[in-house]
Amino acid sequence: MRVNKDTWLKRKKSFWHRMWEDLEIGYLDKDLLPLLIVLNIEQGIHTMSSCSGRIVASDSRSPWSRESDSTIIFKKHTPVKPEEILELYKIPVYRKIWLNVTGPIIHLSTMDLATAIKILRIARLSGYKHSGIISLNSDKGVVLELTTGVYMSTPLRTRSKDIVKPEETPGLVELVNNILYEGKKRLTKLYMELKKALPWRPDEEIVEYIEKHGIRVHEKSPIEVFEELSSNLRDNHNN
Amino acid sequence: MRVNKDTWLKRKKSFWHRMWEDLEIGYLDKDLLPLLIVLNIEQGIHTMSSCSGRIVASDSRSPWSRESDSTIIFKKHTPVKPEEILELYKIPVYRKIWLNVTGPIIHLSTMDLATAIKILRIARLSGYKHSGIISLNSDKGVVLELTTGVYMSTPLRTRSKDIVKPEETPGLVELVNNILYEGKKRLTKLYMELKKALPWRPDEEIVEYIEKHGIRVHEKSPIEVFEELSSNLRDNHNN
């Protein structure tokens, strides 16, 4: 399989610009930025839709249900508060209420297989044990998904019963926030390892963009950005 | 990357024989056999350690902890009974007690990238959305991991509290067994799709082995084998 270089480069440009738009409209978790920037500085890599790890409550048939079988009640990339969990006991249950925590999921495309294999090795060494090449395509390149095993998925309520009683909220919140934090630590580990290795061939256009816009967020680690986000939320909440 | 054909074929032979040994000593989930056989009949594919989906209770720091941080309390590939869950409330908690259900995870190796891509496409169409090429190696071939999103992971107890009270066991057991069954349905779906497509080039040695040993289990679907296993267990339990 040969990747169509022109198409791939156009896609890189478009994903790069979309990333900054997504950040502006709040679609992008800011703590992903350091990692995404480090990856994009490499010529043969562009990132795609990714997640820094999050807490999601849904009313769904099963935790993996999508669309018609599932309604998202809330989604957060920062620690959850007991009040937010307690809200889940005040609403009617249509299917089941689930509380899910997922670790980071990074999607990226490489221009060739050799780069994909190198990234896969670094990911594996950084604890991303469920990573792989999910597709190969002449236009889209070699697409990788990097994931950890950091995950929790608990049924809180069925239509007839509470599986986890609301009284258990404090213990549950502690658990959930710890798992979220564990995910952010893995994000930081991957960032550190990639920063040591990359770029093999710097992408001059990306480097120029970063300089021109005075971007410096990738000098911080994901966990530093996460902690800033979390404390901003706390401050807003206390005001 | 070029796969060393001789080494790869030796590995195929050794994995094939180990599979039957594992079955004999109870290391292999019998409901995996139909799928594993259908895959191995293709010349350019051999299977590796896989799981048909299971329910696991552990005392561990987190559901993804391994070895030093985790003790498996029980592991079942067939439905769980309320008594088995209630046992989990009678033991001391060292870290946390987790109840996990995982869907099928299939590991296989292909002799070339083209075969890997074809299998990946079939897996994706069969609902194995988290599948990918996890490594490429001249001796081990192109290694694939095929997985679904079928998963549940619930904290039952911490050292200080029960997050899920023992009274909720009936509802929890129903949920857990339904998720296990959902996994077995996905196993069957993949088996059906692969059976339609494979073999592209039959592996004469494997075909001969199957005929010589009168093997017919792959004429049944995984869910038929699973239901036989589950009802055998029920019968043994009632005697």
Side-chain angles (χ1 to χ4, degrees):
Chain A
M1 195 228 28
R2 274 206 96 70
V3 174
N4 180 333
K5 207 175 154 181
D6 284 348
T7 316
W8 190 90
L9 284 172
K10 264 186 216 147
R11 282 174 59 87
K12 173 161 187 173
K13 198 175 255 181
S14 134
F15 272 107
W16 175 256
H17 289 288
R18 198 195 293 172
M19 182 179 91
W20 297 104
E21 284 164 29
D22 283 352
L23 181 72
E24 217 151 282
I25 58 179
Y27 275 12
L28 179 82
D29 326 337
K30 205 180 165 194
D31 48 1
L32 264 178
L33 269 180
L35 182 66
L36 300 187
I37 293 173
V38 165
L39 282 164
N40 281 292
I41 288 175
E42 167 62 32
Q43 209 180 79
I45 297 177
H46 76 72
T47 57
M48 302 160 80
S49 104
S50 300
C51 175
S52 68
R54 64 192 191 184
I55 301 168
V56 176
S58 66
D59 181 313
S60 50
R61 203 174 66 80
S62 55
W64 59 87
S65 300
R66 288 287 168 277
E67 283 120 39
S68 63
D69 253 357
S70 177
T71 310
I72 303 288
I73 305 167
F74 77 73
K75 198 180 329 188
K76 280 194 83 176
H77 297 81
T78 44
V80 85
K81 289 182 281 277
E83 310 88 88
E84 290 170 302
I85 299 298
L86 286 168
E87 284 298 320
L88 301 173
Y89 291 92
K90 296 179 190 158
I91 56 177
V93 182
Y94 294 105
R95 302 173 199 96
K96 287 177 190 77
I97 309 282
W98 293 90
L99 189 63
N100 299 323
V101 192
T102 45
I105 303 179
I106 315 298
H107 288 114
L108 60 116
S109 170
T110 67
M111 217 198 285
D112 53 62
L113 198 56
T115 306
I117 295 174
K118 284 198 270 184
I119 293 294
L120 213 47
R121 285 211 188 111
I122 297 174
R124 213 154 273 278
L125 289 173
S126 311
Y128 285 62
K129 305 237 162 116
H130 298 270
S131 303
I133 297 168
I134 58 173
S135 70
L136 293 103
N137 179 303
S138 58
D139 287 339
K140 295 182 186 166
V142 184
V143 180
L144 291 166
E145 179 175 274
L146 313 182
T147 49
T148 68
V150 173
Y151 194 89
M152 190 200 89
S153 169
T154 296
L156 294 190
R157 307 174 62 199
T158 66
R159 286 172 70 100
S160 54
K161 293 204 117 206
D162 294 343
I163 303 265
V164 179
K165 298 271 171 298
E167 303 86 85
E168 304 313 326
T169 296
L172 188 66
V173 162
E174 198 192 324
L175 250 167
V176 159
N177 287 339
N178 282 344
I179 294 177
L180 183 73
Y181 196 75
E182 181 65 35
K184 308 291 178 181
K185 282 201 292 191
R186 301 276 179 112
L187 196 63
T188 303
K189 171 82 177 151
L190 181 61
Y191 162 84
M192 296 290 198
E193 293 301 323
L194 286 171
K195 215 180 167 187
K196 267 192 251 165
L198 291 177
W200 296 304
R201 297 153 305 176
D203 185 322
E204 298 304 341
E205 262 189 68
I206 299 287
V207 171
E208 208 175 285
Y209 185 102
I210 289 171
E211 278 170 13
K212 192 176 140 202
H213 290 78
I215 294 163
R216 301 193 60 181
V217 57
H218 55 301
E219 293 167 11
K220 292 182 196 170
S221 75
I223 214 143
E224 284 175 284
V225 179
F226 169 74
E227 277 168 352
E228 279 174 22
L229 289 174
S230 308
S231 74
N232 286 348
L233 282 178
R234 268 198 306 276
D235 294 346
N236 287 340
H237 190 250
N238 293 339
N239 288 344
Chain B
M1 196 229 26
R2 274 206 97 68
V3 173
N4 180 334
K5 208 176 155 183
D6 284 347
T7 316
W8 190 91
L9 284 172
K10 264 186 215 147
R11 281 174 60 88
K12 173 161 188 175
K13 198 174 254 182
S14 131
F15 272 106
W16 175 255
H17 289 287
R18 197 195 292 172
M19 182 179 90
W20 297 104
E21 284 164 26
D22 283 353
L23 181 71
E24 217 151 283
I25 57 177
Y27 275 13
L28 180 82
D29 326 337
K30 205 179 165 194
D31 49 1
L32 264 178
L33 269 180
L35 181 68
L36 299 188
I37 293 173
V38 164
L39 283 164
N40 281 292
I41 287 175
E42 166 63 31
Q43 209 180 80
I45 297 177
H46 75 73
T47 56
M48 300 160 82
S49 103
S50 299
C51 175
S52 68
R54 65 192 190 184
I55 301 167
V56 176
S58 66
D59 181 312
S60 50
R61 203 174 66 81
S62 56
W64 60 87
S65 299
R66 289 289 168 274
E67 284 121 40
S68 63
D69 252 357
S70 176
T71 310
I72 304 288
I73 305 169
F74 78 73
K75 197 185 320 192
K76 279 194 83 177
H77 297 81
T78 47
V80 85
K81 290 183 280 278
E83 310 89 86
E84 290 169 303
I85 301 298
L86 287 169
E87 285 298 320
L88 302 173
Y89 291 92
K90 297 180 189 159
I91 56 177
V93 182
Y94 293 106
R95 303 172 195 96
K96 287 177 190 77
I97 308 280
W98 293 90
L99 189 63
N100 299 321
V101 193
T102 45
I105 303 178
I106 315 296
H107 289 111
L108 61 117
S109 169
T110 66
M111 218 198 285
D112 53 62
L113 198 56
T115 306
I117 295 173
K118 284 199 270 184
I119 293 294
L120 213 48
R121 284 210 188 112
I122 297 173
R124 215 155 272 280
L125 290 172
S126 310
Y128 285 62
K129 306 238 162 113
H130 297 272
S131 302
I133 297 168
I134 58 172
S135 71
L136 292 103
N137 178 303
S138 58
D139 288 337
K140 296 183 186 167
V142 184
V143 180
L144 291 166
E145 180 175 274
L146 312 182
T147 49
T148 68
V150 173
Y151 193 90
M152 190 200 90
S153 169
T154 296
L156 295 191
R157 308 174 61 199
T158 66
R159 285 172 69 101
S160 57
K161 292 204 118 207
D162 294 342
I163 302 266
V164 179
K165 296 272 174 294
E167 304 85 86
E168 304 314 326
T169 296
L172 188 65
V173 163
E174 198 193 323
L175 251 166
V176 159
N177 287 339
N178 282 343
I179 293 176
L180 184 73
Y181 197 75
E182 181 66 32
K184 307 292 176 177
K185 284 202 289 191
R186 303 276 179 111
L187 196 63
T188 302
K189 172 83 176 147
L190 182 60
Y191 162 83
M192 295 293 200
E193 293 301 323
L194 285 172
K195 214 180 169 186
K196 267 192 250 165
L198 293 178
W200 296 303
R201 298 152 304 176
D203 186 323
E204 297 305 340
E205 263 188 69
I206 299 287
V207 171
E208 208 174 285
Y209 185 101
I210 289 171
E211 278 170 12
K212 192 176 140 202
H213 289 78
I215 294 162
R216 301 192 60 181
V217 57
H218 55 302
E219 293 167 12
K220 293 182 196 168
S221 74
I223 215 145
E224 285 175 283
V225 179
F226 170 72
E227 277 168 353
E228 280 173 22
L229 289 175
S230 307
S231 73
N232 285 349
L233 282 178
R234 268 200 304 278
D235 294 346
N236 288 337
H237 190 252
N238 293 339
N239 287 342

